[in-house]
Amino acid sequence: MGEIEWWRRGVIYQVYPRSFQDTDGDGTGDLNGIRHRLGYLDELGVDALWISPIYPSPMADFGYDVADYCDVDPLFGSLREFDALVEDAHRRGMRVILDFVPNHTSDRHPWFREARQGRKSRKRDWYIWRDPKADGSAPNNWLSNFGGSAWEYDEASGQYYYHAFLKEQPDLNWRNAEVRAAMYDALRFWLRRGVDGFRVDVLWHLVKDAAFTDNPPNPAWRKGMPEIDRLLQTHSTDQDEVHEVVAEMRSVLSEFGEDRLLIGEIYLPVERLVSYYGKAGEGAQLPFNFQLIHAAWNAPNLARLIETYERALPANGWPNWVLGNHDQKRIASRVGEPQARVAAMLLLTLRGTPTLYYGDEIGLTQVAIPPDGVRDPWERNEPGLGFGRDPQRTPMQWDASPNAGFTAGLPWLPLSEDRESRNAEAMRDDPSSLLALYRRLIALRRRWTALHLGAFRLLRGEGDVLVFERVHESERLLVALNLGHEPTSVDLGSFVGGTVLLSTRFGRPSERLGPVLELDPDEGVVVARGRTVAGGRDF
Ligand code: GLC
């Protein structure tokens, strides 16, 4: 086998560009801001940044409504500034992954404007148009992910168009060959600029049932759940033909070398998710695995889902784990601050590429948004039910200055109240901070081949304790996590006499252990077998 691909060894960091660093005082982050903070990311030790959409957009869904796939929105900067960012990142050995949004465009995209001109428009078939039913109602029962019908009536032409998200985000017709060709050219545009890969937005949505069959009701739907979940998405998503598109995207990436990365955003049960690995070289290298985001946070459940996932992976499938993103409640708010440290250790010691969400490394929590400050269209469409995503998109907190060093202007979303202490600068100088723990974990992962490439074996997943082993050649590491709030202990078995490499509790000495490992409440520990500490350094 040749060299191990960077994306297997590496750690990915998601930047939500609106919220990372503003440099022009408009209260919204920009590309120069990301560039300015590369030193921070370098010090954290991440290998790649994935940047949420930066394309020209009316921002109805904050950039996930693209009006031009081959440019940068002036809010974020320019192509020149983008090139400079890529160049600087590459100089530091960091990769740059763009968000690609192929399922839908903005309704202001020139393609849709043209398609909307009438049934005879040359671009009509680039989108999904259907006649009303005889009674004038929508062509079928499909729902929008942001609530309400997924069909919007177009008075002028007397037809409906389909939008899986906002009506300002009409779905492209991926059965149309011209659409495919145009979108692949957009990929090439960025690949030529040196982009190292793409995170493909809602990849499992691209192809829809050709007959537009009604979706069946979801028997598990209860009041308080999103309206979209009233129906199972049987016919609107995850159609077999989508794999053809994935293979085509992958081959476009391959034109630029085998190390360009295709990540798929896919919310599906594990047995369906793993089909997106495709045949060797034809699928996504990393179909995002979101199970930790939705998991009940206890040892038996985590053990079960890790094992199920490991078993479901195809022979060529490299695992990956995600703790948070811009659509999901932040980890520190899901599991609480003490367990957020355990979660960090879990993410960075499991087998598979980890993806971090900006701000999780400083323990940002959900920030309350006053009703008149709501920006997310989902919250506006289905208010008060907790679906709004603004609370997890608030600005990064860099220092204790006003607006936490994020902007000299008025931040587009509020900062969290604890910003004077919860900020990168303060935490950088505090070796007991979560940020310092993240740094040590990433460094440990890089140093030990067993952690970034080794085999995984579950040893225990009962009560409050999750224990597993990572093994590569002579390297053997044990990871023991206390998911509970009481002290506990773990029999070390073959790790008797092992050495503590790292604890989530700062100050635990790098002790040699007897037969039993004592764990504090909410403590996780990495133990190396025997006396040897790789590289002669401890952590
Ligand atoms: C993805 C994005 C989300 C966006 C949606 C529509 O799920 O992560 O933020 O709203 O797609 O593009």
Side-chain angles (χ1 to χ4, degrees):
M1 198 165 124
E3 216 180 271
I4 304 294
E5 298 95 326
W6 66 268
W7 49 266
R8 292 186 198 247
R9 281 181 279 106
V11 175
I12 301 171
Y13 183 97
Q14 179 187 357
V15 171
Y16 193 67
R18 298 183 70 87
S19 302
F20 202 57
Q21 175 69 64
D22 179 24
T23 55
D24 60 6
D26 66 359
T28 304
D30 44 46
L31 290 176
N32 279 339
I34 302 173
R35 188 167 162 218
H36 175 69
R37 294 297 183 183
L38 285 177
Y40 168 83
L41 297 176
D42 211 357
E43 200 174 289
L44 184 59
V46 300
D47 299 270
L49 39 150
W50 146 36
I51 310 172
S52 284
I54 52 166
Y55 313 103
S57 165
M59 303 287 166
D61 189 19
F62 298 109
Y64 285 95
D65 47 325
V66 178
D68 180 353
Y69 288 96
C70 299
D71 206 348
V72 169
D73 195 288
L75 186 69
F76 296 123
S78 63
L79 279 171
R80 264 235 326 264
E81 285 162 4
F82 178 78
D83 291 342
L85 168 62
V86 172
E87 201 182 311
D88 276 11
H90 284 173
R91 199 175 302 126
R92 290 175 182 272
M94 264 184 265
R95 317 276 171 152
V96 177
I97 298 168
L98 279 188
D99 214 307
F100 187 58
V101 191
N103 180 67
H104 41 264
T105 68
S106 160
D107 62 347
R108 315 266 183 88
H109 194 294
W111 299 341
F112 189 70
R113 288 179 191 270
E114 194 179 333
R116 206 170 196 171
Q117 276 167 11
R119 294 183 185 222
K120 295 257 147 29
S121 157
R122 276 192 312 122
K123 294 245 169 16
R124 188 68 169 181
D125 188 52
W126 283 40
Y127 293 84
I128 298 171
W129 298 92
R130 285 289 172 282
D131 289 332
K133 284 187 180 160
D135 65 357
S137 64
N140 70 15
N141 71 350
W142 295 0
L143 295 169
S144 155
N145 281 263
F146 293 140
S149 170
W151 295 97
E152 179 70 11
Y153 188 61
D154 176 57
E155 292 279 350
S157 65
Q159 285 193 310
Y160 283 87
Y161 67 85
Y162 176 68
H163 57 91
F165 294 87
L166 298 174
K167 66 176 178 0
E168 293 84 358
Q169 294 168 295
D171 278 45
L172 281 164
N173 174 16
W174 273 85
R175 292 179 186 276
N176 179 305
E178 288 173 9
V179 166
R180 293 190 188 192
M183 293 302 273
Y184 301 153
D185 278 347
L187 290 176
R188 291 187 186 98
F189 174 87
W190 295 103
L191 288 163
R192 273 196 294 271
R193 297 194 105 86
V195 161
D196 299 286
F198 299 92
R199 170 270 190 191
V200 183
D201 193 60
V202 299
L203 182 58
W204 84 112
H205 270 259
L206 296 193
V207 182
K208 295 74 162 125
D209 172 35
F212 288 85
T213 314
D214 272 355
N215 276 327
N218 172 11
W221 187 84
R222 301 280 173 276
K223 208 168 171 264
M225 285 166 69
E227 191 182 4
I228 178 80
D229 293 333
R230 279 176 182 271
L231 304 177
L232 299 172
Q233 307 302 304
T234 316
H235 303 293
S236 47
T237 65
D238 193 30
Q239 303 298 294
D240 285 344
E241 296 95 321
V242 74
H243 296 288
E244 210 179 277
V245 176
V246 179
E248 287 171 6
M249 286 183 177
R250 181 68 189 279
S251 83
V252 172
L253 266 66
S254 299
E255 291 167 18
F256 294 80
E258 279 312 315
D259 63 346
R260 309 288 174 123
L261 175 63
L262 191 65
I263 302 176
E265 185 209 21
I266 301 157
Y267 285 92
L268 283 176
V270 170
E271 64 282 6
R272 297 296 312 155
L273 173 69
V274 295
S275 70
Y276 286 77
Y277 283 106
K279 293 197 209 104
E282 293 185 7
Q285 291 105 317
L286 303 177
F288 260 156
N289 165 22
F290 297 123
Q291 292 179 89
L292 293 178
I293 291 179
H294 300 120
W297 201 254
N298 63 70
N301 184 53
L302 291 173
R304 193 172 338 109
L305 76 83
I306 294 166
E307 286 244 286
T308 311
Y309 178 62
E310 282 276 351
R311 266 200 302 270
L313 289 168
N316 64 314
W318 181 250
N320 76 87
W321 298 94
V322 181
L323 259 193
N325 63 40
H326 62 293
D327 297 323
Q328 307 290 341
K329 196 168 165 189
R330 282 193 180 268
I331 181 68
S333 295
R334 297 203 308 271
V335 301
E337 204 171 332
Q339 278 297 312
R341 299 176 76 93
V342 175
M345 183 171 274
L346 177 65
L347 175 73
L348 289 157
T349 57
L350 278 171
R351 191 176 84 95
T353 307
T355 300
L356 273 62
Y357 181 49
Y358 88 94
D360 279 354
E361 76 277 21
I362 59 167
L364 275 187
T365 52
Q366 299 292 101
V367 175
I369 309 293
D372 60 353
V374 169
R375 308 293 301 265
D376 184 18
W378 194 1
E379 178 66 29
R380 294 188 176 168
N381 284 0
E382 295 189 81
L385 296 167
F387 307 147
R389 299 166 297 176
D390 296 326
Q392 59 262 30
R393 295 175 176 180
T394 62
M396 180 65 183
Q397 299 177 171
W398 296 105
D399 56 41
S401 68
N403 295 329
F406 165 67
T407 181
L410 192 64
W412 80 287
L413 283 174
L415 293 140
S416 89
E417 271 168 16
D418 58 3
R419 61 184 168 276
E420 277 186 25
S421 54
R422 189 175 301 290
N423 64 66
E425 191 179 77
M427 295 170 81
R428 181 178 190 262
D429 298 333
D430 171 5
S432 71
S433 70
L434 180 63
L435 178 60
L437 175 64
Y438 262 98
R439 249 198 340 251
R440 285 195 294 268
L441 279 165
I442 294 171
L444 189 75
R445 185 179 177 91
R446 187 186 296 273
R447 178 163 307 241
W448 289 78
T449 312
L451 284 181
H452 59 256
L453 286 181
F456 169 92
R457 192 156 70 101
L458 181 72
L459 298 177
R460 185 176 154 189
E462 295 149 25
D464 281 338
V465 184
L466 181 68
V467 186
F468 53 87
E469 189 179 24
R470 300 294 315 278
V471 180
H472 178 80
E473 294 173 356
S474 62
E475 285 183 15
R476 282 188 61 190
L477 300 184
L478 177 108
V479 180
L481 306 174
N482 182 358
L483 290 135
H485 310 308
E486 302 294 330
T488 188
S489 59
V490 175
D491 277 332
L492 282 174
S494 65
F495 281 82
V496 172
T499 312
V500 171
L501 289 185
L502 178 58
S503 165
T504 58
R505 170 164 65 87
F506 178 70
R508 180 166 187 150
S510 159
E511 70 212 272
R512 283 210 72 193
L513 299 163
V516 175
L517 168 69
E518 303 290 345
L519 289 176
D520 269 8
D522 306 292
E523 185 184 21
V525 171
V526 181
V527 174
R529 195 166 182 218
R531 212 187 264 279
T532 1
V533 176
R537 260 186 60 185
D538 64 9
F539 285 81

